[in-house]
Amino acid sequence: MSLTNYLVLAAILFTVGAVGVLVRRNAIVVFMCIELMLNSVNLTLVTFARSTGTLDGQVIAFFVMVVAAAEVVVGLAIIMSIYRTRRSASVDDANLLKY
Amino acid sequence: MIEAPDLSLSALSPFLFVFGAALVGVLVESFAPRHVRQPTQVALALVGTVGGFACTLLLAGRGEVTAAGALAVDGAGLFLQATIAGLGALSVLLFAERALDPARSAFVASAAVPAGSPRDRELLTDERVQTEVYPLATFAVGGMMLFVAANDLLVMFIALEVLSLPLYLICGLSRRRRLLSQEAAVKYFLLGAFASAFFLYGLALVYGATGTVQLAGIRQSVTDDGTGTLLVLGLGLLVVGLMFKASVAPFHTWTPDVYQGAPTPVTAFMAACTKVAAFGAILRLLYVAFGTADWTWRPLVYGIAIVSMVVGAVLGLTQTDVKRMLAYSSIAHAGFLLTGVIGLDAGTGSGLAATLFYLLAYGLTTVGAFAVVTLVRDGDGEATALAQWAGLARRSPLTAAIMTFLLLALAGIPLTSGFTGKFAVFRAAIEVGAWPLAVVALVTSAVAGFFYLRLVVLMYFSEPAEDGPSVGVPGLPTTIVLAVTVAATLVLGVVPGSVLDLADGAARLVG
């Protein structure tokens, strides 16, 4: 199977994630969509590592996983703190700051 | 057998200092009893940032690439690192202010207590503070310093996260108006993570096109093989990610909300230091990696600069809140800074020196302006509505005078640092033939000048309201910040020569 297929799949996953961030309302789901984007980048990186014959891409994918884990810790803490006050994780309800 | 990379410890000393202080801060948080934490953490954060500042000064004049090509130690990088560490130290002083508010601190006593609960109301005036903000801010300063020195897209990405993650957290730790603060944190976090995903995808595409993530390697590949679709697409995504951090329109939507909702000392920190760091990374990426193929980014940056100046100036006119107004001002200033980036002409243009000077001047003025915002208070904390500032000069002539001076500097009136900075970046843009951009910049400066002057007029020529806010008497930390920022704004405006020469001498990027 040609490597292009993996790149196309990764691009589709990235797009699904980006559209999800824009249209979904629940902060947790938005966050999951961002994780999907990061993982599609990992697939891209590993594919390019294969096609360019360098190891950098695979190493970077590990770094991305670690960063994504750190982001989960920080993100869930923030979403939890707002949920405990509002009893809702909808990004539409967080509308005190505007104009 | 894997060979260890060549590490120049002396070149790394600013990072070792700042990250070391942050790590010790985490240990203090874990083991020290609560009542000693606040003074210890403040001292540690100051030692870290001031130490990092001193280390960068000692390194001045160096020009090398170390850590297996991952870090560049050069004039521009060191200038920006010193700026970030210095502004970071000033911000830490603002964090440490405890005399202004009966609530004792700008930061929440216990972030885990739900906002608005009875326990939360009890803790409002409590002595204790969530002192984790100091190590977190120190980590953010370290990340920013790494961001401007990153000579490798991977290190740049890691630095981006190291600076962003602590900022997301400290945005949500305000003591008063906790819902607004938490909302700001959620918005900043979700949009920030979204933008870093774009940066990362750009990194992957550039890696696919060139086979390397080192800026020098990318430059080599661009020079030898030219640019393909993949590379240009990757560059575009990288620029989007960086522009988001620099709060440049059209990637600015988070800026007003987060600036308004975050505790004001944190807003000062973000407005000054994050801007410096993001522009440092933009300069390095565009100049070192893509300097030989500037047609790939010049039209993009040109367009974004115009959009940012216009959006910042026009929407700034409609604001009714001081912090939001300063947020739109920061968006407009990001546009002015981009005119300096346009003035980066391979080796000859004065754009790099002009942008460095502008970042220093803008950072100092902004920290000062937000420090004044922390002074004007009513029973409910800071009074940030513009209407509440009416007649402030009657209540406190000194505060109004300081704010007026800083606003004039932001507007770019002569004899302030803002004028010198604007003059330098506009001249750099004209030198490379981008005079239409300079014309737009002048027009938008005039428009932006209107909303700064409107606040000045409001402070001096309106009747104060009966139940208007009072002006708090600042403690030592805020007084130091105000004195330093006002003096620097004045000196950089009246006798800018030596600092301009310094920026000119530092305007060198290795790679």
Side-chain angles (χ1 to χ4, degrees):
Chain A
M1 203 157 90
S2 106
L3 290 177
T4 317
N5 294 343
Y6 294 97
L7 293 180
V8 172
L9 173 65
I12 291 171
L13 286 175
F14 189 85
T15 316
V16 169
V19 171
V21 171
L22 298 174
V23 302
R24 296 303 295 262
R25 297 278 68 111
N26 187 307
I28 303 275
V29 179
V30 171
F31 191 32
M32 280 161 59
C33 290
I34 292 171
E35 294 295 311
L36 183 61
M37 292 167 80
L38 294 181
N39 283 322
S40 78
V41 172
N42 279 348
L43 183 56
T44 314
L45 282 167
V46 173
T47 313
F48 279 137
R50 170 106 185 186
S51 74
T52 59
T54 49
L55 269 178
D56 296 12
Q58 299 186 17
V59 176
I60 297 171
F62 278 112
F63 275 91
V64 175
M65 284 182 219
V66 174
V67 166
E71 227 169 44
V72 169
V73 173
V74 169
L76 287 185
I78 293 172
I79 294 171
M80 261 311 286
S81 72
I82 201 167
Y83 175 78
R84 287 170 72 174
T85 315
R86 294 176 183 269
R87 293 282 144 205
S88 149
S90 166
V91 287
D92 280 348
D93 290 346
N95 58 3
L96 295 169
L97 289 164
K98 52 190 169 190
Y99 310 118
Chain B
M1 180 72 188
I2 300 172
E3 269 183 48
D6 170 45
L7 273 180
S8 161
L9 283 181
S10 65
L12 292 177
S13 58
F15 306 112
L16 296 177
F17 227 106
V18 175
F19 284 121
L23 290 171
V24 175
V26 173
L27 290 179
V28 168
E29 206 54 55
S30 315
F31 296 111
R34 184 172 277 147
H35 62 275
V36 300
R37 278 187 214 157
Q38 164 85 7
T40 319
Q41 292 288 22
V42 173
L44 259 177
L46 283 176
V47 166
T49 46
V50 175
F53 179 75
C55 288
T56 52
L57 294 189
L58 291 176
L59 287 174
R62 292 275 279 270
E64 62 184 277
V65 174
T66 184
L71 283 181
V73 181
D74 53 18
L78 289 171
F79 186 93
L80 292 172
Q81 283 177 22
T83 309
I84 291 167
L87 292 172
L90 291 178
S91 309
V92 167
L93 285 175
L94 284 184
F95 283 25
E97 176 63 60
R98 307 204 72 177
L100 275 172
D101 194 340
R104 304 291 288 138
S105 173
F107 294 103
V108 68
S110 169
V113 174
S117 63
R119 178 78 182 130
D120 187 41
R121 282 193 288 277
E122 254 171 57
L123 286 174
L124 182 66
T125 52
D126 198 272
E127 186 71 14
R128 67 192 244 213
V129 179
Q130 195 84 49
T131 40
E132 281 89 348
V133 290
Y134 299 101
L136 285 171
T138 317
F139 271 122
V141 169
M144 288 164 187
M145 290 167 72
L146 189 60
F147 202 37
V148 298
N151 197 32
D152 178 316
L153 289 179
L154 174 60
V155 176
M156 207 181 260
F157 172 68
I158 301 295
L160 176 73
E161 294 297 328
V162 172
L163 84 87
S164 303
L165 292 177
L167 276 180
Y168 300 148
L169 283 174
I170 53 180
C171 275
L173 295 181
S174 178
R175 182 168 295 213
R176 293 176 180 273
R177 303 193 179 96
R178 285 187 62 196
L179 273 183
L180 290 186
S181 171
Q182 290 175 347
E183 182 178 322
V186 169
K187 283 183 174 169
Y188 193 21
F189 170 74
L190 289 177
L191 291 173
F194 190 49
S196 49
F198 277 99
F199 181 89
L200 201 57
Y201 199 49
L203 179 158
L205 294 185
V206 169
Y207 169 64
T210 62
T212 177
V213 285
Q214 298 217 329
L215 298 187
I218 295 168
R219 184 190 186 90
Q220 192 64 42
S221 166
V222 169
T223 316
D224 294 348
D225 312 334
T227 47
T229 321
L230 204 56
L231 188 67
V232 176
L233 204 60
L235 171 66
L237 290 170
L238 288 175
V239 169
V240 169
L242 293 176
M243 295 285 179
F244 174 89
K245 277 292 152 206
S247 67
V248 180
F251 315 106
H252 68 290
T253 42
W254 59 278
T255 315
D257 286 354
V258 176
Y259 278 24
Q260 188 189 356
T264 308
V266 176
T267 313
F269 179 50
M270 278 196 295
C273 296
T274 313
K275 182 90 73 195
V276 177
F279 270 95
I282 289 172
L283 288 170
R284 194 173 290 280
L285 175 74
L286 296 183
Y287 188 77
V288 176
F290 292 91
T292 53
D294 60 356
W295 63 268
T296 50
W297 53 266
R298 209 169 273 272
L300 179 70
V301 174
Y302 206 104
I304 292 175
I306 291 178
V307 172
S308 193
M309 289 186 285
V310 171
V311 166
V314 173
L315 291 182
L317 290 175
T318 63
Q319 299 309 312
T320 54
D321 184 282
V322 179
K323 283 167 88 177
R324 279 186 97 81
M325 191 193 90
L326 289 172
Y328 278 101
S329 143
S330 118
I331 295 166
H333 279 282
F336 299 140
L337 279 159
L338 283 180
T339 61
V341 175
I342 286 287
L344 266 186
D345 201 17
T348 57
S350 55
L352 185 53
T355 314
L356 294 182
F357 180 86
Y358 198 117
L359 284 168
L360 174 65
Y362 170 75
L364 284 164
T365 311
T366 308
V367 170
F370 280 109
V372 176
V373 173
T374 62
L375 299 183
V376 182
R377 297 179 165 271
D378 59 14
D380 200 26
E382 285 155 13
T384 55
L386 275 185
Q388 289 177 291
W389 285 54
L392 195 75
R394 305 262 176 89
R395 289 181 200 278
S396 174
L398 182 63
T399 311
I402 292 176
M403 190 63 178
T404 303
F405 179 65
L406 295 170
L407 287 172
L408 292 180
L410 288 173
I413 305 293
L415 293 184
T416 62
S417 62
F419 175 77
T420 323
K422 275 200 179 127
F423 183 80
V425 292
F426 295 171
R427 193 186 58 183
I430 291 170
E431 269 175 9
V432 298
W435 59 267
L437 191 62
V439 171
V440 175
L442 282 175
V443 172
T444 48
S445 295
V447 175
F450 175 76
F451 65 75
Y452 299 123
L453 291 179
R454 189 179 56 178
L455 180 54
V456 174
V457 169
L458 197 67
M459 286 191 297
Y460 278 91
F461 302 110
S462 297
E463 285 299 316
E466 281 295 314
D467 53 348
S470 60
V471 174
V473 179
L476 183 65
T478 308
T479 313
I480 295 175
V481 172
L482 285 171
V484 169
T485 52
V486 169
T489 305
L490 185 66
V491 168
L492 293 181
V494 179
V495 279
S498 57
V499 181
L500 275 174
D501 288 344
L502 187 68
D504 213 33
R508 206 161 52 87
L509 289 164
V510 300

